[in-house]
């Protein structure tokens, strides 16, 4: 069951002349034609050198970046301006820097999007938030504010917040890169548990242990293109 279909995706930055500037900004062809199919239940790790476009690729999928050309279909629906709200409801995202709402409590962070979108009634949204807090092991932090939590705890809450929407896919953009080393394990462990539930995950990461143990596909991007797309056993056994 195909969940994402990407065809001829390109992304070029630059080329616009900013107000008062004499010259346009330099042209940078970051993605030079990405074709890929992602299937339900895939756990894909995206690897490649810094600046090769991994984050840009992920952000094109949910239109945080507008592709320069190409097409993206999610569950059969074209990811364009007219469908983006529906797409984002089913496509969660976890960022490097957590991006929790600082003025809301932990539990309110989990309740905000489902409440704004009127996904369920108030009691059901609250019950779901409680269930997710238990699942990420942070029930005791429901009424705390994000800044009082450790980085690892904040990222676990960010994952719970994504899950509060019952997404079909979660995009992770270097979810452990901003963490102190002692907190990386707790976040990877939670991601591993998620992977075992069968949810589709796309993970930009430098954590090769996670890629090897948890993913079923490792995609190596370089020079704006997919260079390898293999099960981790094969990719990591190549010289
Ligand atoms: P990666 O995630 O693989 O490290 P990125 O997708 O973040 O790479 O960035 C790819 C390239 O595009 C980098 O050279 C980066 O500086 C550049 N880039 C990213 N976002 C923008 C932007 N908004 N404007 C101009 N250049 C950008
Ligand atoms: P995060 O760490 O939360 O993933 P980043 O630090 O990668 O965020 O990027 C933050 C923002 O800066 C993004 O919107 C990205 O597109 C933009 N950006 C990254 N590189 C460049 C660049 N070279 N020029 C302009 N904008 C950039």
């Amino acid at each position: 069951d195909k969940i994402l279909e990407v065809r001829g995706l390109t992304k070029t930055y630059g080329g616009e002349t900013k107000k008062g500037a004499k010259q346009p900004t330099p042209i940078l062809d970051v993605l030079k034609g990405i074709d890929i199919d992602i299937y339900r239940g895939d756990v894909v790790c995206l690897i490649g050198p810094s600046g090769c476009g991994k984050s840009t690729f992920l952000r094109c999928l949910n239109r945080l970046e507008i592709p320069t050309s190409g097409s993206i279909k999610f569950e059969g629906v074209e990811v364009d301006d007219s469908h983006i709200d529906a797409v984002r409801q089913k496509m969660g995202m976890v960022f490097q820097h957590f991006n929790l709402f600082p003025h809301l409590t932990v539990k309110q962070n989990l309740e905000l999007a489902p409440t704004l979108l009127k996904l369920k009634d108030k009691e059901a949204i609250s019950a779901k938030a409680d269930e997710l807090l238990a699942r990420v092991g942070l029930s005791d932090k429901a009424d705390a504010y994000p800044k009082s939590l450790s980085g690892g705890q904040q990222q676990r809450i960010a994952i719970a917040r994504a899950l509060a929407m019952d997404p079909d896919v979660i995009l992770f953009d270097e979810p452990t890169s901003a963490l102190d080393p002692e907190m990386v394990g707790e976040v990877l462990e939670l991601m591993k548990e998620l992977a075992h539930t069968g949810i589709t995950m796309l993970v930009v990461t430098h954590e090769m242990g996670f890629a090897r143990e948890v993913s079923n596909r490792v995609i190596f991007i370089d020079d704006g293109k997919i260079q390898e797309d293999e099960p981790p056993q094969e990719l990591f056994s190549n010289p």
Side-chain angles (χ1 to χ4, degrees):
D1 182 10
K2 201 188 285 184
I3 191 164
L4 264 168
E5 181 183 289
V6 177
R7 291 292 178 270
L9 174 65
T10 73
K11 177 66 184 178
T12 300
Y13 289 114
E16 70 267 17
T17 307
K18 300 233 169 76
K19 233 175 114 185
K22 294 203 181 74
Q23 307 222 334
T25 52
I27 303 260
L28 189 62
D29 292 318
V30 177
L31 301 178
K32 302 180 185 172
I34 303 272
D35 298 296
I36 191 169
D37 293 325
I38 307 285
Y39 296 89
R40 215 170 281 278
D42 271 350
V43 177
V44 179
C45 281
L46 298 156
I47 64 172
S50 179
C52 73
K54 304 179 294 294
S55 177
T56 298
F57 171 66
L58 216 59
R59 297 163 69 93
C60 282
L61 297 180
N62 64 0
R63 236 174 145 71
L64 289 178
E65 297 286 355
I66 310 296
T68 302
S69 66
S71 102
I72 300 169
K73 278 202 186 111
F74 173 58
E75 300 184 325
V77 174
E78 191 72 30
V79 179
D80 58 17
D81 283 337
S82 64
H83 300 112
I84 191 57
D85 292 343
V87 166
R88 285 190 186 149
Q89 275 195 35
K90 286 288 157 196
M91 207 189 277
M93 181 137 183
V94 173
F95 300 90
Q96 186 174 351
H97 295 289
F98 329 133
N99 298 11
L100 296 172
F101 304 109
H103 57 291
L104 298 179
T105 66
V106 159
K107 186 169 174 186
Q108 288 167 343
N109 264 275
L110 304 194
E111 293 172 330
L112 184 65
T115 301
L116 292 175
L117 292 163
K118 301 192 173 71
L119 287 193
K120 298 174 186 151
D121 65 38
K122 205 161 170 276
E123 289 70 35
I125 290 171
S126 170
K128 172 92 182 175
D130 289 334
E131 175 202 317
L132 287 168
L133 287 172
R135 183 159 161 200
V136 303
L138 291 168
S139 298
D140 58 328
K141 300 293 185 190
D143 298 321
Y145 285 86
K147 69 173 185 312
S148 70
L149 272 56
S150 73
Q153 291 172 333
Q154 289 187 57
Q155 196 60 301
R156 283 149 64 198
I157 294 299
I159 292 170
R161 182 178 59 178
L163 291 170
M165 297 290 291
D166 288 323
D168 292 335
V169 175
I170 305 187
L171 312 177
F172 294 83
D173 193 356
E174 298 203 26
T176 59
S177 297
L179 297 176
D180 291 335
E182 70 270 21
M183 293 170 187
V184 170
E186 65 193 64
V187 172
L188 292 180
E189 193 54 39
L190 175 58
M191 290 169 61
K192 186 172 167 179
E193 284 169 23
L194 266 187
H196 290 151
T197 67
I199 191 167
T200 310
M201 296 168 54
L202 273 70
V203 186
V204 172
T205 187
H206 300 286
E207 294 289 338
M208 293 306 139
F210 179 87
R212 193 164 37 226
E213 284 167 35
V214 182
S215 71
N216 66 316
R217 291 168 74 179
V218 179
I219 292 179
F220 176 65
I221 299 180
D222 197 10
D223 192 27
K225 292 193 171 147
I226 293 177
Q227 307 290 351
E228 307 277 354
D229 178 358
E230 290 185 314
Q233 309 78 287
E234 282 162 44
L235 191 71
F236 290 113
S237 67
N238 290 344

